[in-house]
Each structure stands twice: as structure tokens, then as C-alpha cells.
Amino acid sequence: MTENAQQQPTAPSTELPTQYAPAEVEGTLYERWVERGYFAADAKSDKPPYTIVIPPPNVTGSLHLGHAFQHTLMDALTRRKRMQGYEALWLPGMDHAGIATQNKVEQQLAEEGKSRHDLGREEFVERVWQWKEEYGGKILGQMRRLGDGVDWDRERFTMDEGLSKAVQTIFKRLFDDELIYRAERIINWCPRCLTAISDIEVEYQEDDGELVSIKYGEGDETLVVATTRAETMLGDTAVAVHPDDERYQHLIGKRIKLPLTDRSIPVVADTHVDPEFGTGAVKVTPAHDPNDFAIGQRHGLESITVMDERAVITAHGPFQGLDRFEARSAIVAALRSQGRIVAEKRPYVHSVGHCSRCKTTIEPRLSMQWWVKVGPLAKAAGDAVRDGRVKIHPEDMSKRYFDWVDNMHDWCISRQLWWGHRIPVWYGPDGEVVCVGPDEQPPTGEGWKQDTDVLDTWFSSGLWPFSTLGWPEQTADLRKFYPTDVLLTGHDIIFFWVARMMMFGLYAMDGEVPFKTIALTGLVRDERGKKMSKSFGNVVDPLDWMDKYGSDAVRFTLARGANPGTDVPIGEDWVQASRNFANKIWNATRFALMNGATVEGPLPSPEQMSATDRWILSRLNKTVAQVDAFYEDFQFAKLSDALFHFAWDEVFDWYVELSKTTFQAGGEGAKVSQRVLGEVLDVTLKLLHPVVPFVTDTLWTTLTGGESVVIAEWPGDSGFRDDAAEREIETLQSVITEVRRFRADQALQPGQRVPARLTLDGTALAPHEAAIRQLLRLQPEGETFAATATLPVAGATVALDLSGTIDVAAERKRLAKDLAAAEKEKAQANAKLGNEAFLAKAPDNVVDKIRGRLAKADEDIKRIQAQLENLPQQ
């Protein structure tokens, strides 16, 4: 028996309740783990470190299935490494979630009839901190329900003092290295959240809009432009055409009348314009479109802002004060009345950007903002993956990563909020700009003011792998646990978070990567593969399923669906099946304890074991090796499936059942099997523990008397293999399976006993007669025995007396029907394999499949003919 040296086993208890009740176990057991410090990592330990970065959930959030999914996988990785002797750190924490949290508090204020401006900045921020203390962090308690083995003593928050220092430090360094700058550019503006948002926070969807074609200019000097945003024409400062477009050569350089205004605007030539698209002429609104802004920069055009921060028209005239959508209709109507609408198309379906948080239509807007110059940072992030310092798993996800980092635009990091890390820059009365580091005093005196903006939330969460370990101080935690080992996260935030951490980690840590492996998961979907959404009515609260079926059942269901990089469908039926699996583990362990299973003392030698004992130990070691390989490849679905089938099919359904006759017989054979069964359960419970921690710890401590499976030693592959025993038991299984199938075909009840004569001499099955009879409910033949059915299976013969138990005529009719079907299948396969034209064209795998069908048909024909011959004559 392998046992952690720090544990001193006591005499195991043989008592377990008849049923497993998760609600009575999970909460108490989790608090015991925490109190005993099982999840606390020691920076002074000489054990090798293993660190996982947790994607910090929003302070406003609660546990959803996506969290439960990823947390289950991260917890499994960490628990296994801890059992393998690593100093495992899984550090918890939360993100301050700038826009989302500010919105929560502003909603609260609105219910009081107030706005943040009524409070002022300082009082409002204090109110947010109060909200955070009262309502924030709900998800942390829910993580306990799930069983997250995190080091609670190291819990961090992106706005705590240490992380705030890290943010100010890296901002200052980037500023000094001229990698942060301030510039006026077109940004994505949310008129609802009243802040800039980055490109990756914009969600595009197909909206019904309108496409109107408008005539600009007068007489011979006219152009037609098409637009979906007629309201922005009030800010047009040019019309652009391609320099080689012969239709407009006479107009290039001239000025034409801008409708509805008293302005004239130039016609400029720019290669950005596609002469084949539309009329080949485009309106240029530099203050309200990123492409137009670039054209404006090239041609020295004026940028005229015609909307305020709430997307209300500010341009003088009859449209001033209208919302952008109201203005759109009013402007089109005004143009129509002047005869300037050449064509209208509605609905016109086109892609429109929306704020990912509030779903408001985004407004491109010219604004002075702070930016990160991402070029050298993004190159370093790409190089780290290309040269193998960081592995992306699955590998085919690397393309998405490179598509982003190789084509990244400068990152707008300023947000017009009050909740967040305020930009550490002060402006002086004479235009001075001073960036202040964490240990520096800001300038004082009349006229000095700090920038009012805060940093994008992803700026601080991009520092998470090292700021949580104490950076910029060279702490013991940083030296021990950085770089981290695995970042496990959804493929949907490669751009939001993964790339940010790569850029900042390599920059701040002098080229040292923030993590060695990026393991990307899919997204959780409903059982039909549909995205979970409140509007679809298919969102599931994992806590409801935990209440109903237990946390282990939810965890096992999620892990069993986790194929790398692919989405995970999940339904309640699957959780119920996982609950049944937990119950099966419970009942099998109860049986083992009641029959004297033990972990005490060394394993008996192979010579002392039966073939059944050697078979299960051989299968056990192969399973250990298989599970280890799957863990290293992040194949959670495969390792969970392997454990499920080994535990349920081989241990519980076969080994436990085959052992019953041994235990009933008693003697030395029973003692050997008691020790083997104890070993098998000991190892199986350890293998299952990282995924289903609660039931396994309860059972393992009862079985072994050990302190906790959390700190038990992960099982190794002893190398024991017995292929001969595996073949012998496979033969035994085939006999039992075939006879069970025959019994079912005859509509015999599972518990119905049938007289039988077994001819096993000269086969490997001879030692298993007692087990065969017990599992198949076969009683001794008796004096009046008459073989009415004889089944030749695997070199043995099972003769059954079914007198009075079956309708022979009906059975002959059923078998004749099966025989005809098998002969038809054989004829069809032979016909195809005899067709030279088919064989010349068909792929090898198709031909092999047909050959397999032919072999199966031959086998079925022989089996059915034998059954017909062995039925009684009428």
C-alpha cells in the first residue's frame, strides 16, 4: 500500500450509512479541509512548486456553469499535483469590474433619486467600497460549495493596496519607456455606460437598419453617397473618391455644398475608397468614424463632433437636442423634402457594434484617451509561443492567438469612470504632464489636477499572475511560485485577458513568461448544444443542481464533457447519472467494508492471488497510467470516462461480483481478495478524488483510517501487468455476457434460477464455475435434468434445462428471423467484396468495414444455428 508518510492510519471503520447524502457531508467536510490548512501553500517549502492562475471573477458575479466548469478542472489539476508532492498554489481573488460595479451602485443611487454627481467622486467611490463589502464576493462563498481547493489566506482583489501599487508601478514604467501615450483618436463609446471601451468589448450583431443614398452638391458638381448613419452627415468635412476613378476626376479638389448646412466641403482623392463599391464616393466624418478619421489625418481635414457623450446631437440647427436615432429619421425626412434622397433601402441588415455589458449600440467618437503602444509588447507575446516557452493547448488554438497578437492595434486603456485605478498623471497650470510612481509624491500647488479617468479593468487583471504574488516587491511567493504553470481559461477571452497577461508578464518580469501552458476550454451549452441565455430560458444555476444532486455530481458531469477547446453540452439527466455514479461508489465501498476489505499490510504475491485478483490489479495499473497521460494532455473528458468505466464496469460490476463467491467460501483466498479489493478501492478513490472530492474523501478515510485523501499520495503505476489473467477474465466475461443475453432473449427474470450443466474441463474457465453459476443464477443439474438449450461459448459448453420456462415454437421463430437477417447481411457484404469495380474505387477503410461486417455475419450465423440445433425438438 502506498501511503503518505505524514499520515498515521487508524483502524478503519466498517460503518457507513446505507445511503450517501451529499448535503450532510459537503459543507462540514470542506471547512475541515480549510481549517487543517490542506490548501495553504508554503513559499519556504522545498517541494517543487505548482501554480495555477485563477481567472478572477467579477466582484458583481455569482457562480454560473461556466465558472463551475473551469473551477472544476483547475481544482482537479491542483488537487492531483498536491497529492503528487508538489507545493500547489491555487490563489483566489476577485476583479473590481469597473463598469459593471459602477453600474450596480449607480442603479442603487437611481432608486434613491440620485446620481453619482450628487455625491461627488470621493463619496461615490466610498459608496462603491461599501457596496463591495456588503454585496460583493458572493461568488467566493459559492466556490466553497463547489469544493475549490484555493489558498484562502492569499485571497486578492484588484483594487487592494498591493495590486494598486503594482498597477501604478507598471503604468509609470510603460510611460517612462514611451509605451503609454495620450492622443486624440476615434474610440468605441458607450452612450449608456458613458465611457470608452476597447475593441474586444464590442459585440457585433446583425441589425435591421436603413441605407439611404444622398445627393451632395448642385448642378454638374454633384455626388451621391450612401450611408446607414445619416445623422453623422452634420459632421462631414469632405467627400472622398478614388484617385483613378474617371467619373470624378473633374471634381477632385473642388468644394461642394453639404446639404442641410451652410458649409461647403472638399472632394478629396484617397486610395482607401473602393470605386467598385456603391457609387464610388464616400462621405468623410473624421470625428465619428475610424476610417474617416484616417482619411482626415491624411488630408488635413477638420474633425467636427456633432454628438455629446449621450449620443445627443449638438450641431446647431433644427436637429440640436435630438437623440441620434431621432435625428436620423428627422434628417432623412428633411433631405427627402429637398429631393436629395436618391434611393432608400430598408430594412438593410448590417453588422452593428454593441457594448458587451449593456448591449447599447456603440458610437465611434473622437476623444482624447490614454493608449498602450502594443507593438513591441505584442511581438514578445507572440515570440514566447512561437519559440516554445509557452504552449497553447490544444495546439490548433494557436492560430487564434497569433491572429490577435500579430495584428493588435494600440490599446485604449482610459475609461471615463470613477470606480477603478485612477490614472496616475497630473496636469500642471502651464501644460505640464507628470506621471507619478507609487513611491513618489504628486505635484502640489495651485492649478495641478490629476487625470479624472481610470484604467481599463483588463489593465489590472493583466498583472494578475505576478501582482498577486507581491510584485513589484521581490517576495518569497514571487520567487517560489512564478512563473505559474497553467492558465486554464475559455477560448473566448484569449484577446481580453490571455494576451494582456502575456504582454505585461514578459515586460514586467524581464522576459519571463507568466505561465508555461495555456489550456483553453470551450463554453458550457445546454444539452442540445445551444448557447445558454436568459432570453432562451435555458440558463441553469449550478447551485440548484448542487442542492439536488450534490457538488460531486455537478463536477463529474462537467469534467466528463471537457474536451480541449470544444464546447460542453450539459443537461440535468447527465447530472443525475453522475449522482448515480457517486451512489455506486458509496455502495461498492460499503460492500467492501462489510466483507473485510483492508489496506493493511503488503499486497499478497501474484502466486497467492487468483486470476480475478491479478486481472483487476493489472487493469488498475493500466488505468493509473492512462489517467496520468490524460491529465498531462488536459484530456479531462477522457480521464473521467476512463475512471467511470474502470470503477463502474470493471471494479463494481465485475470484480466485486466475482469476489462474492470467494468471500462466501472464506479461507486464504478470501483473505487475499480482501486485501486486493482494499488496494483497488484505495487507488480508485485517490484517482477519482480530484474530480469528485467529497464522496471520495469520506469513503477513503473510512476505508483506510487515513487523515484525508486530500493529502494522500497520488498512486503510481507499479508496473504490474498480467495479460494472461486479463485474457482469462475477458473469456469469463464473454461467457457470462453471452448467457445473460440468451436468458434475456428467453424473457427469463434476472433472479430466476435455471438448472444447468457446465462443461469447463480443459478451459481457463474451470476455476470459475462457482462464480459463473452464482452470477448467472444457474443451479445444479439434478436427476431429471434435460438439456433443452446448449450454448457453446469460448471453448466451454453451457447446457440449460429450460423445460417449462420458454415457448419453443416462438423461440424457433425468433431465431429463424435473426438467421435470415444475418444471412442477408452476409450476402450483401459478399456481393460488394466480389465487385471488382467497387473495390477499385472504395477507400481502404470502407472495404475494411465491409469485411468486418462479413466476419460478424458469419459469427452470428454460426451462433444462431447452434442455438437452433440445441432447442428441444417439437
Side-chain angles (χ1 to χ4, degrees):
M1 179 181 69
T2 57
E3 186 62 60
N4 193 330
Q6 71 192 63
Q7 299 187 59
Q8 297 298 320
T10 57
S13 167
T14 59
E15 294 298 321
L16 278 174
T18 55
Q19 290 185 323
Y20 177 49
E24 297 174 11
V25 171
E26 293 176 350
T28 304
L29 186 54
Y30 184 83
E31 292 309 317
R32 186 185 308 151
W33 293 337
V34 174
E35 288 167 8
R36 292 180 177 178
Y38 293 158
F39 307 139
D42 183 2
K44 297 178 182 177
S45 165
D46 57 4
K47 295 179 182 178
Y50 183 82
T51 317
I52 283 194
V53 178
I54 190 172
N58 287 353
V59 68
T60 58
S62 59
L63 190 74
H64 56 66
L65 272 175
H67 288 128
F69 170 55
Q70 291 184 357
H71 284 214
T72 293
L73 305 187
M74 287 185 278
D75 194 35
L77 290 172
T78 312
R79 285 177 181 269
R80 172 174 173 262
K81 285 296 182 181
R82 189 177 290 115
M83 294 173 74
Q84 286 182 314
Y86 286 79
E87 197 62 43
L89 172 60
W90 187 23
L91 188 148
M94 293 182 298
D95 193 290
H96 65 278
I99 295 176
T101 308
Q102 179 155 321
N103 282 346
K104 287 278 188 185
V105 179
E106 290 200 77
Q107 289 167 13
Q108 213 177 49
L109 288 173
E111 293 171 3
E112 302 170 14
K114 298 177 183 178
S115 75
R116 61 174 161 140
H117 300 286
D118 294 323
L119 273 64
R121 183 170 193 139
E122 189 174 330
E123 190 175 340
F124 175 78
V125 170
E126 179 57 35
R127 179 73 175 258
V128 181
W129 277 108
Q130 291 172 9
W131 182 93
K132 185 257 181 186
E133 293 305 316
E134 188 172 354
Y135 300 104
K138 176 182 178 183
I139 193 172
L140 297 178
Q142 296 167 340
M143 286 164 58
R144 292 174 178 260
R145 281 288 314 276
L146 187 65
D148 282 8
V150 295
D151 187 344
W152 290 109
D153 292 337
R154 284 182 165 86
E155 181 189 334
R156 303 306 298 269
F157 178 53
T158 52
M159 288 279 286
D160 68 27
E161 184 178 353
L163 271 66
S164 295
K165 182 177 182 180
V167 168
Q168 198 172 351
T169 299
I170 201 162
F171 187 99
K172 170 71 171 172
R173 290 189 186 179
L174 290 164
F175 181 89
D176 290 346
D177 287 344
E178 298 183 350
L179 292 173
I180 281 183
Y181 62 95
R182 192 168 184 247
E184 190 175 45
R185 292 186 180 175
I186 294 287
I187 47 90
N188 304 299
W189 182 267
C190 177
R192 159 68 178 74
C193 298
L194 298 180
T195 183
I197 63 174
S198 65
D199 292 345
I200 52 179
E201 293 169 296
V202 178
E203 293 178 348
Y204 288 90
Q205 65 185 48
E206 297 295 309
D207 285 359
D208 287 345
E210 60 181 353
L211 180 68
V212 294
S213 298
I214 309 167
K215 182 172 67 175
Y216 281 30
E218 302 290 351
D220 293 335
E221 297 182 350
T222 62
L223 286 165
V224 175
V225 300
T227 182
T228 58
R229 303 175 68 227
E231 69 278 9
T232 64
M233 69 167 292
L234 300 175
D236 286 358
T237 56
V239 172
V241 298
H242 194 277
D244 299 331
D245 194 332
E246 294 182 0
R247 294 171 293 176
Y248 304 119
Q249 292 296 312
H250 66 293
L251 291 177
I252 295 173
K254 293 187 177 181
R255 300 184 73 85
I256 60 174
K257 174 74 174 177
L258 178 64
L260 305 182
T261 72
D262 57 2
R263 293 190 292 117
S264 65
I265 57 177
V267 178
V268 299
D270 197 282
T271 54
H272 170 76
V273 180
D274 181 0
E276 302 298 322
F277 183 76
T279 64
V282 297
K283 59 192 287 297
V284 182
T285 321
H288 293 278
D289 182 274
N291 293 321
D292 293 3
F293 178 76
I295 293 174
Q297 292 286 294
R298 288 194 289 272
H299 296 276
L301 301 176
E302 183 183 5
S303 295
I304 301 175
T305 300
V306 296
M307 282 182 238
D308 68 9
E309 61 183 10
R310 297 183 185 275
V312 172
I313 300 298
T314 57
H316 292 299
F319 311 108
Q320 187 175 8
L322 294 180
D323 171 79
R324 55 183 165 164
F325 300 122
E326 296 171 336
R328 182 177 299 173
S329 300
I331 286 171
V332 171
L335 290 166
R336 191 183 299 115
S337 70
Q338 293 183 6
R340 289 190 173 275
I341 299 296
V342 176
E344 296 181 69
K345 183 178 181 180
R346 60 171 67 86
Y348 178 72
V349 179
H350 61 133
S351 182
V352 178
H354 295 260
C355 174
S356 62
R357 290 177 177 81
C358 69
K359 312 308 176 187
T360 300
T361 300
I362 287 300
E363 191 61 49
R365 187 168 188 254
L366 185 62
S367 180
M368 182 68 77
Q369 301 286 343
W370 284 95
W371 305 80
V372 172
K373 186 185 294 183
V374 299
L377 303 175
K379 182 182 183 305
D383 290 345
V385 174
R386 287 189 170 94
D387 64 24
R389 283 175 289 156
V390 176
K391 304 288 187 186
I392 292 181
H393 189 88
E395 191 176 350
D396 58 11
M397 284 282 178
S398 298
K399 184 180 183 302
R400 295 187 65 185
Y401 176 80
F402 291 131
D403 284 346
W404 178 250
V405 298
D406 292 347
N407 301 286
M408 195 183 299
H409 300 297
D410 282 3
W411 171 21
C412 176
I413 56 171
S414 44
R415 299 291 180 266
Q416 289 64 55
L417 305 172
W418 287 355
W419 172 245
H421 296 281
R422 193 166 174 181
I423 289 177
V425 171
W426 272 255
Y427 305 108
D430 299 318
E432 302 96 331
V433 178
V434 176
C435 180
V436 177
D439 301 318
E440 300 171 352
Q441 289 297 317
T444 57
E446 187 175 346
W448 283 93
K449 292 183 179 179
Q450 186 177 0
D451 196 301
T452 56
D453 289 350
V454 301
L455 288 163
D456 178 8
T457 296
W458 296 102
F459 189 95
S460 51
S461 58
L463 314 182
W464 190 256
F466 51 93
S467 63
T468 52
L469 298 175
W471 188 90
E473 307 302 326
Q474 292 302 307
T475 63
D477 277 359
L478 193 63
R479 289 191 295 272
K480 178 74 174 178
F481 297 110
Y482 191 91
T484 68
D485 289 87
V486 176
L487 168 67
L488 188 145
T489 191
H491 60 66
D492 56 323
I493 60 170
I494 290 178
F495 321 127
F496 288 96
W497 192 46
V498 178
R500 311 300 195 208
M501 287 189 290
M502 284 287 283
M503 291 192 302
F504 282 166
L506 290 161
Y507 174 78
M509 299 299 293
D510 299 321
E512 197 168 17
V513 297
F515 22 74
K516 300 164 190 172
T517 301
I518 301 168
L520 296 169
T521 70
L523 308 178
V524 179
R525 296 181 177 272
D526 72 10
E527 56 197 294
R528 296 178 181 84
K530 195 172 184 179
K531 181 179 178 181
M532 288 194 174
S533 165
K534 290 180 181 177
S535 60
F536 296 153
N538 61 351
V539 174
V540 173
D541 184 346
L543 296 171
D544 291 341
W545 281 352
M546 289 184 207
D547 290 341
K548 195 170 181 180
Y549 303 110
S551 298
D552 282 335
V554 174
R555 289 171 62 115
F556 192 70
T557 305
L558 290 165
R560 206 171 176 195
N563 290 298
T566 59
D567 291 346
V568 182
I570 184 172
E572 187 168 1
D573 288 350
W574 305 340
V575 184
Q576 186 172 352
S578 295
R579 187 272 313 273
N580 295 344
F581 179 51
N583 289 342
K584 186 80 169 181
I585 303 169
W586 185 270
N587 291 332
T589 307
R590 283 189 73 244
F591 166 84
L593 290 168
M594 289 188 293
N595 284 276
T598 179
V599 296
E600 295 181 5
L603 276 172
S605 67
E607 293 74 25
Q608 296 173 286
M609 297 180 195
S610 67
T612 308
D613 294 329
R614 297 194 307 276
W615 160 73
I616 196 62
L617 288 175
S618 183
R619 291 294 308 127
L620 175 68
N621 279 289
K622 287 182 179 179
T623 302
V624 170
Q626 190 178 36
V627 167
D628 277 335
F630 285 145
Y631 262 115
E632 295 307 312
D633 201 32
F634 303 98
Q635 296 282 359
F636 295 98
K638 290 182 178 179
L639 72 88
S640 299
D641 212 46
L643 284 169
F644 174 86
H645 287 294
F646 174 71
W648 191 307
D649 299 346
E650 298 187 86
V651 179
F652 307 149
D653 277 359
W654 283 108
Y655 183 71
V656 165
E657 292 300 315
L658 290 169
S659 297
K660 286 180 179 178
T661 53
T662 306
F663 293 144
Q664 289 169 2
E668 287 303 312
K671 290 180 181 178
V672 170
S673 291
Q674 286 169 340
R675 180 64 189 88
V676 170
L677 179 54
E679 179 74 8
V680 170
L681 283 176
D682 174 21
V683 173
T684 301
L685 291 171
K686 288 175 181 176
L687 292 174
L688 283 165
H689 172 72
V691 180
V692 283
F694 294 105
V695 68
T696 51
D697 195 42
T698 304
L699 294 174
W700 187 86
T701 52
T702 305
L703 173 72
T704 68
E707 183 183 336
S708 173
V709 73
V710 177
I711 54 172
E713 185 177 331
W714 182 255
D717 175 6
S718 71
F720 177 79
R721 301 285 190 275
D722 193 325
D723 294 337
E726 289 193 41
R727 287 193 297 272
E728 181 174 327
I729 301 305
E730 284 169 8
T731 302
L732 173 62
Q733 290 170 331
S734 68
V735 171
I736 292 171
T737 300
E738 184 64 27
V739 176
R740 278 176 173 167
R741 192 179 75 83
F742 179 80
R743 286 179 59 112
D745 288 344
Q746 312 310 314
L748 296 176
Q749 294 300 314
Q752 185 174 352
R753 294 197 167 274
V754 177
R757 176 185 298 145
L758 304 184
T759 306
L760 307 175
D761 294 343
T763 73
L765 299 173
H768 303 285
E769 180 170 353
I772 292 172
R773 286 189 177 278
Q774 180 161 317
L775 291 175
L776 292 173
R777 304 293 190 270
L778 302 179
Q779 63 190 40
E781 53 195 272
E783 295 180 2
T784 60
F785 179 82
T788 59
T790 303
L791 304 176
V793 188
T797 303
V798 180
L800 305 174
D801 183 353
L802 302 178
S803 304
T805 62
I806 64 170
D807 183 333
V808 175
E811 178 60 14
R812 280 191 177 279
K813 185 176 179 180
R814 184 189 69 78
L815 287 172
K817 184 178 177 181
D818 288 350
L819 181 62
E823 288 174 337
K824 181 180 179 181
E825 174 73 4
K826 178 179 180 178
Q828 289 175 340
N830 272 326
K832 285 190 175 182
L833 292 174
N835 185 334
E836 293 296 333
F838 169 77
L839 293 176
K841 294 180 181 178
D844 290 346
N845 65 316
V846 172
V847 175
D848 288 343
K849 187 174 181 181
I850 293 170
R851 286 178 179 143
R853 284 167 48 192
L854 176 62
K856 175 72 165 54
D858 275 332
E859 184 180 316
D860 288 344
I861 290 169
K862 291 176 184 176
R863 175 177 54 79
I864 296 167
Q865 287 174 338
Q867 289 177 341
L868 281 167
E869 290 171 5
N870 288 305
L871 282 175
Q873 298 299 314
Q874 292 177 300

PDB file of all heavy atoms in Angstrom, residues 311-322:
ATOM      1  N   ALA A 311     -24.866  60.657 -26.975  1.00  0.00           N
ATOM      2  CA  ALA A 311     -25.276  60.499 -28.371  1.00  0.00           C
ATOM      3  C   ALA A 311     -26.462  61.391 -28.710  1.00  0.00           C
ATOM      4  O   ALA A 311     -27.352  61.014 -29.479  1.00  0.00           O
ATOM      5  CB  ALA A 311     -25.566  59.041 -28.693  1.00  0.00           C
ATOM      6  N   VAL A 312     -26.461  62.595 -28.143  1.00  0.00           N
ATOM      7  CA  VAL A 312     -27.460  63.618 -28.470  1.00  0.00           C
ATOM      8  C   VAL A 312     -26.794  64.631 -29.403  1.00  0.00           C
ATOM      9  O   VAL A 312     -25.640  65.031 -29.192  1.00  0.00           O
ATOM     10  CB  VAL A 312     -27.982  64.306 -27.190  1.00  0.00           C
ATOM     11  CG1 VAL A 312     -28.871  65.503 -27.540  1.00  0.00           C
ATOM     12  CG2 VAL A 312     -28.748  63.296 -26.339  1.00  0.00           C
ATOM     13  N   ILE A 313     -27.520  65.057 -30.445  1.00  0.00           N
ATOM     14  CA  ILE A 313     -26.969  65.953 -31.449  1.00  0.00           C
ATOM     15  C   ILE A 313     -26.666  67.323 -30.831  1.00  0.00           C
ATOM     16  O   ILE A 313     -27.520  67.920 -30.152  1.00  0.00           O
ATOM     17  CB  ILE A 313     -27.938  66.120 -32.636  1.00  0.00           C
ATOM     18  CG1 ILE A 313     -28.212  64.755 -33.295  1.00  0.00           C
ATOM     19  CG2 ILE A 313     -27.390  67.118 -33.652  1.00  0.00           C
ATOM     20  CD1 ILE A 313     -26.992  64.093 -33.887  1.00  0.00           C
ATOM     21  N   THR A 314     -25.449  67.788 -31.090  1.00  0.00           N
ATOM     22  CA  THR A 314     -25.031  69.106 -30.568  1.00  0.00           C
ATOM     23  C   THR A 314     -24.856  70.130 -31.674  1.00  0.00           C
ATOM     24  O   THR A 314     -24.663  71.315 -31.390  1.00  0.00           O
ATOM     25  CB  THR A 314     -23.692  68.964 -29.814  1.00  0.00           C
ATOM     26  OG1 THR A 314     -22.706  68.403 -30.696  1.00  0.00           O
ATOM     27  CG2 THR A 314     -23.841  68.076 -28.593  1.00  0.00           C
ATOM     28  N   ALA A 315     -24.894  69.705 -32.943  1.00  0.00           N
ATOM     29  CA  ALA A 315     -24.706  70.645 -34.054  1.00  0.00           C
ATOM     30  C   ALA A 315     -25.840  71.671 -34.070  1.00  0.00           C
ATOM     31  O   ALA A 315     -27.010  71.334 -33.815  1.00  0.00           O
ATOM     32  CB  ALA A 315     -24.661  69.887 -35.374  1.00  0.00           C
ATOM     33  N   HIS A 316     -25.500  72.921 -34.361  1.00  0.00           N
ATOM     34  CA  HIS A 316     -26.522  73.967 -34.394  1.00  0.00           C
ATOM     35  C   HIS A 316     -27.528  73.690 -35.503  1.00  0.00           C
ATOM     36  O   HIS A 316     -27.200  73.136 -36.557  1.00  0.00           O
ATOM     37  CB  HIS A 316     -25.859  75.335 -34.620  1.00  0.00           C
ATOM     38  CG  HIS A 316     -25.036  75.774 -33.443  1.00  0.00           C
ATOM     39  ND1 HIS A 316     -25.556  75.984 -32.205  1.00  0.00           N
ATOM     40  CD2 HIS A 316     -23.703  76.020 -33.334  1.00  0.00           C
ATOM     41  CE1 HIS A 316     -24.592  76.350 -31.354  1.00  0.00           C
ATOM     42  NE2 HIS A 316     -23.451  76.373 -32.034  1.00  0.00           N
ATOM     43  N   GLY A 317     -28.762  74.071 -35.274  1.00  0.00           N
ATOM     44  CA  GLY A 317     -29.782  73.881 -36.272  1.00  0.00           C
ATOM     45  C   GLY A 317     -30.988  73.154 -35.714  1.00  0.00           C
ATOM     46  O   GLY A 317     -31.088  72.920 -34.503  1.00  0.00           O
ATOM     47  N   PRO A 318     -31.899  72.754 -36.565  1.00  0.00           N
ATOM     48  CA  PRO A 318     -33.165  72.163 -36.113  1.00  0.00           C
ATOM     49  C   PRO A 318     -33.023  70.798 -35.462  1.00  0.00           C
ATOM     50  O   PRO A 318     -33.965  70.319 -34.837  1.00  0.00           O
ATOM     51  CB  PRO A 318     -33.981  72.063 -37.418  1.00  0.00           C
ATOM     52  CG  PRO A 318     -32.962  71.997 -38.506  1.00  0.00           C
ATOM     53  CD  PRO A 318     -31.840  72.881 -38.044  1.00  0.00           C
ATOM     54  N   PHE A 319     -31.866  70.153 -35.627  1.00  0.00           N
ATOM     55  CA  PHE A 319     -31.699  68.798 -35.079  1.00  0.00           C
ATOM     56  C   PHE A 319     -31.010  68.792 -33.720  1.00  0.00           C
ATOM     57  O   PHE A 319     -30.872  67.739 -33.096  1.00  0.00           O
ATOM     58  CB  PHE A 319     -30.895  67.941 -36.069  1.00  0.00           C
ATOM     59  CG  PHE A 319     -31.404  68.028 -37.479  1.00  0.00           C
ATOM     60  CD1 PHE A 319     -30.681  68.711 -38.448  1.00  0.00           C
ATOM     61  CD2 PHE A 319     -32.631  67.492 -37.821  1.00  0.00           C
ATOM     62  CE1 PHE A 319     -31.159  68.828 -39.731  1.00  0.00           C
ATOM     63  CE2 PHE A 319     -33.120  67.603 -39.113  1.00  0.00           C
ATOM     64  CZ  PHE A 319     -32.386  68.277 -40.081  1.00  0.00           C
ATOM     65  N   GLN A 320     -30.582  69.936 -33.267  1.00  0.00           N
ATOM     66  CA  GLN A 320     -29.888  70.020 -31.979  1.00  0.00           C
ATOM     67  C   GLN A 320     -30.798  69.537 -30.860  1.00  0.00           C
ATOM     68  O   GLN A 320     -31.981  69.884 -30.793  1.00  0.00           O
ATOM     69  CB  GLN A 320     -29.447  71.462 -31.718  1.00  0.00           C
ATOM     70  CG  GLN A 320     -28.573  71.604 -30.472  1.00  0.00           C
ATOM     71  CD  GLN A 320     -28.044  73.025 -30.318  1.00  0.00           C
ATOM     72  OE1 GLN A 320     -28.447  73.921 -31.044  1.00  0.00           O
ATOM     73  NE2 GLN A 320     -27.146  73.229 -29.381  1.00  0.00           N
ATOM     74  N   GLY A 321     -30.255  68.694 -29.979  1.00  0.00           N
ATOM     75  CA  GLY A 321     -31.009  68.180 -28.837  1.00  0.00           C
ATOM     76  C   GLY A 321     -31.714  66.871 -29.096  1.00  0.00           C
ATOM     77  O   GLY A 321     -32.268  66.265 -28.169  1.00  0.00           O
ATOM     78  N   LEU A 322     -31.696  66.400 -30.372  1.00  0.00           N
ATOM     79  CA  LEU A 322     -32.338  65.124 -30.679  1.00  0.00           C
ATOM     80  C   LEU A 322     -31.383  63.970 -30.390  1.00  0.00           C
ATOM     81  O   LEU A 322     -30.172  64.078 -30.599  1.00  0.00           O
ATOM     82  CB  LEU A 322     -32.750  65.069 -32.153  1.00  0.00           C
ATOM     83  CG  LEU A 322     -33.833  66.034 -32.632  1.00  0.00           C
ATOM     84  CD1 LEU A 322     -34.100  65.809 -34.120  1.00  0.00           C
ATOM     85  CD2 LEU A 322     -35.119  65.853 -31.836  1.00  0.00           C
TER      86      LEU A 322
END
